[in-house]
Amino acid sequence: MPGEGKEAGALADAPRAGAAGSPMNAKVVTNAVVTQKIHVSPELIVLRVAPDGWELPDFTPGQFGVLGLPGTAPRVPRADAEEPLQKPEKLIMRAYSIASSSRAKEYLEFYINLVLSGQLTPRLFQLERGDRVFLGKKITGMFTLEQVPEDKHLVLLGTGTGLAPYMSMLRTSFRCGEERKFVIIHGARHSWDLGYRAELTAMARMCGNLQYVTSITRPQEELVPWSGEIGYVQDLWARGLVRDALGFAPTPEDTHFFLCGNPGMVDSMQATLEAEGFVEHKTRAPGQIHTERYW
Ligand SMILES: Cc1cc2nc3c(=O)[nH]c(=O)nc-3n(C[C@H](O)[C@H](O)[C@H](O)COP(=O)(O)OP(=O)(O)OC[C@H]3O[C@@H](n4cnc5c(N)ncnc54)[C@H](O)[C@@H]3O)c2cc1C
């Protein structure tokens, strides 16, 4: 998994703060600026980041970029205590799916979950508008609609911030009224953790080819009774919700599935779908199950 010390792909290209022969220059290392920070809930933010003095590369919806901050950056006070870092000046970098449309050229939008015990997210949550951050210049990833034939329907299942790549796909590629159906199934703990709900509800109301299903796992903590679905995303399949949302029982011939977020959900849904005859997609062996595990 991408992370500090595991520097495949996009992470490998990031500059090293304080690398030998190049004294750390915070302005060069933090090459981007936070232009907007929206609090979805105490543990969820939408962060817009704009490059400072360089152009964003083109990307395909569903791909991810890299955000980073040096270990010297402050953490939110409520984060768990952290062991002293060996090299505090070194950049801590993590992968984040892009939520903005690939047509938006001025900024990238990210949907980020606070991991109290984590290294980077307690620092990202401390950022405010105007603060500087590292943004990787390489955007990568195979979790895209590019290899899905255009006549196939799409079921996009996400837990928590696993909704982010679907926002980019919808904002870029969804066409209201076309024959292809999009079903978005978003699971979270509480109703207030369902980021982008207003945007998705409005789109689904206007467009008959978009179905938006939400499910929460802690209905007992809701402030007012919850009338939507209850339970884990992977449990909705057994209750026939995917079939109901599509209006027909999906088969490998007509529908592709995207699974993103919590690896427990991804593994469980993949096993369920494989038992129904769907196959994991690989570049050399195309299938109908596309996966992105966040940890
Ligand atoms: C391709 C890819 C795309 C990603 N996109 C997003 C994204 O759009 N939004 C986002 O919030 N995260 C995303 N992640 C996860 C992100 O890269 C970090 O792992 C996460 O933000 C935690 O970083 P950290 O440094 O705070 O925690 P770390 O110090 O790296 O601790 C990681 C540990 O925290 C736990 N953990 C990691 N992520 C979560 C989580 N979301 N919820 C609960 N526990 C978690 C796991 O146990 C993991 O081992 C993505 C990961 C990958 C591989």
Side-chain angles (χ1 to χ4, degrees):
M1 187 183 74
E4 194 184 23
K6 300 165 209 160
E7 294 166 1
L11 291 178
D13 285 352
R16 285 279 155 279
S22 66
M24 175 165 157
N25 176 340
K27 181 139 192 202
V28 172
V29 173
T30 53
N31 58 356
V33 176
V34 173
T35 57
Q36 196 174 26
K37 179 187 182 187
I38 299 170
H39 290 268
V40 174
S41 75
E43 294 183 356
L44 289 165
I45 51 170
V46 170
L47 207 62
R48 279 193 184 175
V49 177
D52 184 15
W54 53 283
E55 283 193 8
L56 288 174
D58 289 337
F59 70 94
T60 306
Q63 291 189 311
F64 63 89
V66 170
L67 290 175
L69 282 169
T72 49
R75 306 170 83 230
V76 282
R78 66 183 189 281
D80 294 348
E82 184 178 60
E83 293 286 319
L85 300 173
Q86 284 191 341
K87 291 184 183 169
E89 72 284 357
K90 193 177 164 192
L91 270 185
I92 305 164
M93 293 173 285
R94 299 287 184 265
Y96 292 96
S97 303
I98 298 166
S100 41
S101 167
S102 60
R103 291 199 206 104
K105 300 290 182 198
E106 320 81 55
Y107 63 86
L108 295 179
E109 183 174 299
F110 301 99
Y111 182 33
I112 303 172
N113 169 225
L114 174 62
V115 178
L116 288 170
S117 60
Q119 282 200 344
L120 183 61
T121 52
R123 292 178 167 86
L124 291 177
F125 269 65
Q126 194 71 344
L127 291 171
E128 295 299 342
R129 197 159 51 89
D131 285 345
R132 301 186 66 82
V133 64
F134 168 76
L135 177 63
K137 291 189 175 173
K138 191 165 172 182
I139 296 174
T140 184
M142 303 293 290
F143 190 70
T144 71
L145 300 180
E146 262 192 342
Q147 290 173 57
V148 181
E150 289 206 3
D151 61 338
K152 306 298 178 199
H153 302 295
L154 296 163
V155 180
L156 313 175
L157 295 104
T159 54
T161 53
L163 183 70
Y166 307 147
M167 292 312 299
S168 183
M169 292 174 187
L170 280 177
R171 287 165 159 180
T172 312
S173 309
F174 177 71
R175 286 190 292 275
C176 198
E178 74 172 2
E179 212 164 296
R180 175 188 242 186
K181 293 193 175 184
F182 280 68
V183 174
I184 298 252
I185 301 186
H186 188 201
R189 284 184 183 160
H190 310 104
S191 60
W192 53 87
D193 299 324
L194 292 164
Y196 297 103
R197 197 169 160 204
E199 183 173 336
L200 290 171
T201 302
M203 279 174 95
R205 279 203 187 127
M206 286 189 289
C207 305
N209 56 325
L210 174 64
Q211 297 292 314
Y212 170 52
V213 180
T214 53
S215 186
I216 62 166
T217 54
R218 296 193 183 173
Q220 69 281 8
E221 293 170 7
E222 288 295 301
L223 303 176
V224 293
W226 168 254
S227 57
E229 300 301 329
I230 292 170
Y232 290 107
V233 163
Q234 57 269 38
D235 299 335
L236 303 183
W237 174 272
R239 306 210 308 253
L241 265 146
V242 174
R243 184 196 55 220
D244 292 350
L246 278 169
F248 57 87
T251 67
E253 285 68 48
D254 56 35
T255 306
H256 279 233
F257 284 78
F258 282 69
L259 315 174
C260 184
N262 185 317
M265 181 281 281
V266 175
D267 292 345
S268 167
M269 262 320 294
Q270 187 172 339
T272 300
L273 291 168
E274 285 175 352
E276 300 279 337
F278 293 86
V279 174
E280 186 177 17
H281 178 81
K282 297 195 177 111
T283 314
R284 290 193 187 160
Q288 311 81 23
I289 308 172
H290 308 256
T291 60
E292 189 85 286
R293 290 171 179 79
Y294 275 2
W295 69 93

